[in-house]
Amino acid sequence: MKMSIPLLCAGALLAASSAVSAQSYGPRDEGRRFDDGSRVVCRNVEVQRNSKDSNRIAGTATGAVVGGLLGNQVGGGNGKKLATVAGAVAGGAAGRNIQGRHQQKTGDRVVERRCEREYR
């Protein structure tokens, strides 16, 4: 009897989680109306699909290394450590920004049709 209660609870949780899944709509649902006055609206959206490194890790890491090396050339003692850290942070931010601009210029742009439920 002790084993059946946790088993029943697990089954109830599994059933509830599958019922709460998000609803997605496609172009076939366009114009569909619901009882609450909402309807499905589809729009063409331009999406950029270009990068294998969407988080810009390579640019951030390269910039941090270069910035840290340049910062290490400044100051002495604790000031040198602070300059190294500041250079690494600034270089990482700059590297990420540079890679992002490059990806934006060279990226492929495609048009996708995206549909969502619009409430009025």
Side-chain angles (χ1 to χ4, degrees), residues 63-92:
V65 169
V66 171
L69 289 173
L70 290 174
N72 193 31
Q73 304 300 316
V74 179
N78 286 337
K80 189 172 204 155
K81 291 177 187 175
L82 183 63
T84 302
V85 171
V89 170

Side-chain angles (χ1 to χ4, degrees), residues 15-31:
S17 67
S18 65
V20 179
S21 64
Q23 178 70 39
S24 62
Y25 303 101
R28 292 185 308 162
D29 297 316
E30 186 170 13

Side-chain angles (χ1 to χ4, degrees), residues 5-107:
I5 291 174
L7 191 59
L8 286 174
C9 289
L13 284 173
L14 183 62
S17 67
S18 65
V20 179
S21 64
Q23 178 70 39
S24 62
Y25 303 101
R28 292 185 308 162
D29 297 316
E30 186 170 13
R32 180 176 166 194
R33 296 186 180 277
F34 297 91
D35 292 336
D36 62 356
S38 62
R39 64 189 178 114
V40 176
V41 177
C42 297
R43 293 181 179 87
N44 289 334
V45 179
E46 187 175 304
V47 180
Q48 183 171 354
R49 297 203 180 192
N50 66 333
S51 79
K52 297 174 185 169
D53 185 12
S54 61
N55 293 323
R56 305 178 196 157
I57 295 171
T60 304
T62 304
V65 169
V66 171
L69 289 173
L70 290 174
N72 193 31
Q73 304 300 316
V74 179
N78 286 337
K80 189 172 204 155
K81 291 177 187 175
L82 183 63
T84 302
V85 171
V89 170
R96 179 178 172 82
N97 191 354
I98 291 167
Q99 183 179 359
R101 280 187 279 134
H102 176 70
Q103 286 177 344
Q104 198 169 23
K105 271 195 288 188
T106 60

